[in-house]
Amino acid sequence: MKGYLWGAGSVLLVTAAQLLMKWGMVQIPSFSLSVIDVPFIISHLNALVAVFMGLCGYAFSMGCWFFALRYLPLNRAYTLLSLSYALVYIAAVTLPWFNESISLSKTLGGLLILSGVWVIHSKPAQKSH
């Protein structure tokens, strides 16, 4: 059970990280490194903080992932990561500030991912002899 909790933490953190980075990067106009100065940073502080928090989310996600690997077989743990694809899609099409389009093919793809994870994790892990 510990492994699944750590895995869920990793998935939720990486999902939040993706959403934060997407939101932040959309708020920042295209720029070159030469225009980054104090006024630029101050005028885009919320977006830059969101991107930074997304990067931190990835780092914490990796920490959770290390512990998930400690308790789960790799073939079960690794499939949990794909849940973030479906979660990011669901959030991107339902949260108004992302304004992403929903489509039948993307929704079916997300459902296939969720179904695959469910099938892999529905039977107890077989002990190797």
Side-chain angles (χ1 to χ4, degrees):
M1 184 56 133
K2 279 185 186 180
Y4 284 107
L5 291 174
W6 285 112
S10 180
V11 167
L12 292 175
L13 283 166
V14 79
T15 299
Q18 283 291 333
L19 296 169
L20 284 166
M21 288 190 298
K22 171 65 176 178
W23 182 85
M25 291 308 296
V26 168
Q27 307 306 310
I28 302 170
S30 295
F31 63 92
S32 67
L33 293 178
S34 64
V35 302
I36 298 177
D37 55 10
V38 172
F40 179 88
I41 292 169
I42 290 171
S43 65
H44 299 96
L45 191 58
N46 287 341
L48 292 169
V49 167
V51 172
F52 178 75
M53 294 301 291
L55 293 172
C56 289
Y58 265 113
F60 288 125
S61 172
M62 185 175 291
C64 289
W65 183 243
F66 292 151
F67 287 106
L69 290 176
R70 180 180 200 93
Y71 296 106
L72 291 174
L74 183 59
N75 64 357
R76 285 182 167 252
Y78 197 65
T79 60
L80 294 176
L81 290 180
S82 63
L83 292 173
S84 68
Y85 297 120
L87 293 175
V88 167
Y89 172 69
I90 291 166
V93 300
T94 57
L95 297 173
W97 49 88
F98 291 108
N99 200 27
E100 301 249 349
S101 63
I102 190 168
S103 74
L104 179 61
S105 62
K106 291 176 193 174
T107 302
L108 288 175
L111 289 172
L112 283 172
I113 290 170
L114 294 174
S115 300
V117 172
W118 179 77
V119 166
I120 289 168
H121 291 270
S122 63
K123 290 182 83 175
Q126 299 294 322
K127 301 281 183 189
S128 57
H129 300 295

